[in-house]
Amino acid sequence: MSGQHSEPTDDRQVLAVNDLAKYFPVRKGFWKRAAGQVYAVDGIDLQVNAGETLALVGESGSGKTTLGRMIVRAIEPTRGQVMLNTGESGWTDLTALRGGQLRAARRHFQMIFQDPHSSLDPRMTVLDIVKEPLVHNKLARGDEAVERVRQTLEMVGLGSQHLHRYPHAFSGGQRQRIGIARSLVSNPRLIVCDEAVSALDVSIQAQILNLLKDLQSQLGMAYLFIAHDLAVVEHLSHRVAVMYLGRIVELADTDELFTAPRHPYTEALLSAAPVPDPGLKRERIVLHGEVASPSDPPRGCHFHPRCRYATALCGQETPQWRQVAPERYVACHHADALSLVGLANRNAEKPATIP
Ligand SMILES: Nc1ncnc2c1ncn2[C@@H]1O[C@H](COP(=O)(O)OP(=O)(O)OP(=O)(O)O)[C@@H](O)[C@H]1O
Ligand SMILES: [Mg+2]
């Protein structure tokens, strides 16, 4: 996958990931001998522009969380590079930073987690939770730090009366606001949101999504937004990357991806998304077979055993990650021949065929 690769000298970008991979060892038996590997993330190139929301979608187990956690250096990659544009001091190779240098860089990138219950330390007050990145990164102390916490809480819709309370005193939506405040307080350039609203009630989801959107227009940070729910992604993100079994298979502007997908897996994902108007009929593409195991991915195109357009070639050769239009990338041998069904042509009944 190198078609999209470019040297990270483009200052409109905030993140550039080059050939990033994570293989987990599989251990078996009493002696826990290494018995193979899980190819959780298998060579990804990806760029995030400053101030944009890039969504990362794909089925469970496709490697989204592993990719997000490597970007924020919560886990070490097996290979590859994570470059961050810190603004004032230019590009930094995060994968090469250790100790104090890494701590200093952490203010520029943060993560919001799925579960607001387990991601906040129950023994810390809201003040201490939100203040932590400021203290840790030596950005502010004493009264100044408290004032920054107060201002940040206000931005997420919480008041000073909440400062000295503990997380258990808050609802799920409020806890997620506390998590957002903690990620914002150091004024980062990039926030990785891993299923940030999936654990919340639908009505609360909308509030939190609107909050994230408003904060982005005020403060200008970029989001890498990991999600299952395509409806969420459609309204929040500028671009979408679709992941399957450790690889990105398609990347496009949100509108284009939803109206005219270029990868059969994207088409299948869209066909499973709910249609807002019940009067409209759309064929639901049933994917046959389970997602293959990332410890034994299929040869050639990882998706070919479940793909209704697959030919012999697909089982033999890994498709190149290539640019098919401005700002559009896809890894499919037949991307040029297929005309796939997006959300706009909801009445389409016939599957596309390879001429
Ligand atoms: N620490 C680990 N040790 C071994 N295997 C792991 C580890 N973490 C993740 N995996 C495996 O790596 C693959 C990718 O997992 P990951 O959690 O990144 O997927 P995901 O796309 O985030 O899934 P979900 O949508 O369910 O959150 C899975 O097969 C998972 O079992
Ligand atoms: Mg995950």
Side-chain angles (χ1 to χ4, degrees), residues 308-324:
R308 57 179 178 168
Y309 310 109
T311 60
L313 175 67
C314 306
Q316 290 156 5
E317 276 179 34
T318 301
Q320 288 286 314
W321 177 242
R322 62 200 170 91
Q323 187 163 18
V324 288

Side-chain angles (χ1 to χ4, degrees), residues 22-26 38-41 57-69 75 114 194-195 226-228 243 245-246 292-295:
K22 180 69 187 181
Y23 304 155
F24 292 108
V26 182
V38 178
Y39 302 92
V41 172
V57 300
E59 276 164 299
S60 186
S62 56
K64 306 180 297 295
T65 295
T66 305
L67 176 60
R69 290 175 62 86
I75 50 177
Q114 170 170 7
D194 189 1
E195 307 275 4
I226 297 173
H228 271 96
M243 224 174 145
L245 227 55
S293 163
S295 59

Side-chain angles (χ1 to χ4, degrees), residues 82-117:
V82 178
M83 301 290 296
L84 188 81
N85 181 357
T86 59
E88 72 270 16
S89 44
W91 286 93
T92 310
D93 180 357
L94 290 184
T95 33
L97 299 184
R98 299 279 178 275
Q101 285 178 318
L102 180 59
R103 271 199 297 283
R106 281 205 182 279
R107 59 176 292 205
H108 299 296
F109 58 94
Q110 296 288 331
M111 190 155 183
I112 304 174
F113 299 91
Q114 170 170 7
D115 185 357
H117 298 272

